[in-house]
Amino acid sequence: MPDYDAMRVAELASISDLAHGLSDAQWDHASLCEGWRVRDVISHMCLGYTTPMPAMIAKMAKHGFNVPRASKEESIVFGSAHTPGQILAVFDTIHRDGVRKGIAKVIKTSEALVDHLTHHQDIRRPLGLPRSMPEERLRAALDVLPGLGGFVKAKQRTAGLRLVADDLDWAHGDGPEVRGAGEAILLVATGRPVALDELKGDGVDVLRARFAA
């Protein structure tokens, strides 16, 4: 069984290493998440890990318990109110000191790994900073990815498809095939259509239709 908790923390540290080297302009650059800047993505993770549950519930209530909207708006507010240095001062406590409050405590470490790998690419891809994901982390994330429903919706997007990561010798499922790099499969399954053109197979048209629906 992979040590998802250790990989989750290692991925957070990798994001921190990247973020410490970004310029102010890069912090304000758009991410893959529509309407989110790089600073908002990192702020989103800060809030998820450091906000106690009562305070998080209060934030959700402000937005009518519309979780996606609350997450986006609160992350933008936090990102706008703090400098990169201030955001990193909070973010670094997560992997350095093991901070894990509120909603982060109830999210499975395997799902957190998927989230962090995805957010890392949300930042890197628009900045033109490619990265080879650590194979152990990527494979572990792909192993749980097809079963993730909820807000991730990977289960719904990939239902009835055969996923094949041809750079990892990894495959899952039956049906029309979707083949490509593990990173591209991860991104598309978690709702990033930017990587659709990196995939091939009869199942890609199925994925495109699901994004268009």
Side-chain angles (χ1 to χ4, degrees):
M1 180 69 178
D3 188 343
Y4 281 100
D5 193 48
M7 288 188 281
R8 169 189 68 86
V9 174
E11 188 63 18
L12 287 166
S14 295
I15 295 171
S16 174
D17 288 342
L18 168 67
H20 276 279
L22 298 180
S23 67
D24 287 346
Q26 287 173 316
W27 273 84
D28 285 327
H29 198 284
S31 75
L32 287 185
C33 303
E34 185 176 355
W36 299 54
R37 300 161 297 178
V38 167
R39 64 168 62 235
D40 304 325
V41 175
I42 299 175
S43 294
H44 165 69
M45 289 186 279
C46 288
L47 291 173
Y49 271 100
T50 66
T51 308
M53 190 62 82
M56 181 63 74
I57 292 172
K59 289 179 183 294
M60 295 297 109
K62 282 168 52 180
H63 302 279
F65 292 98
N66 182 318
V67 176
R69 183 176 67 196
S71 178
K72 179 178 181 178
E73 294 186 10
E74 292 295 327
S75 298
I76 291 172
V77 167
F78 187 93
S80 298
H82 296 85
T83 67
Q86 290 170 332
I87 294 169
L88 281 173
V90 176
F91 186 79
D92 286 344
T93 65
I94 301 169
H95 65 87
R96 186 186 64 218
D97 304 329
V99 173
R100 194 178 176 205
K101 299 178 181 179
I103 196 168
K105 292 177 68 175
V106 300
I107 294 175
K108 292 182 178 179
T109 53
S110 56
E111 185 172 343
L113 176 64
V114 171
D115 176 87
H116 301 348
L117 284 167
T118 303
H119 282 322
H120 199 156
Q121 299 311 108
D122 286 337
I123 295 167
R124 280 186 173 274
R125 281 197 166 219
L127 293 178
L129 300 173
R131 171 204 191 210
S132 293
M133 290 184 180
E135 182 175 326
E136 180 187 28
R137 293 181 215 168
L138 179 55
R139 185 183 297 275
L142 290 173
D143 282 343
V144 299
L145 182 67
L148 294 182
F151 296 112
V152 180
K153 297 183 179 178
K155 183 176 182 179
Q156 295 92 318
R157 289 190 190 94
T158 62
L161 299 175
R162 177 165 176 77
L163 309 176
V164 181
D166 53 19
D167 58 340
L168 294 176
D169 190 27
W170 175 94
H172 174 89
D174 295 298
E177 186 174 273
V178 175
R179 177 181 290 270
E183 176 189 332
I185 292 172
L186 175 76
L187 290 176
V188 170
T190 54
R192 278 68 176 174
V194 67
L196 277 169
D197 288 343
E198 299 168 30
L199 300 172
K200 56 190 175 183
D202 294 340
V204 177
D205 286 341
V206 177
L207 283 171
R208 290 187 188 280
R210 289 175 180 175
F211 273 102

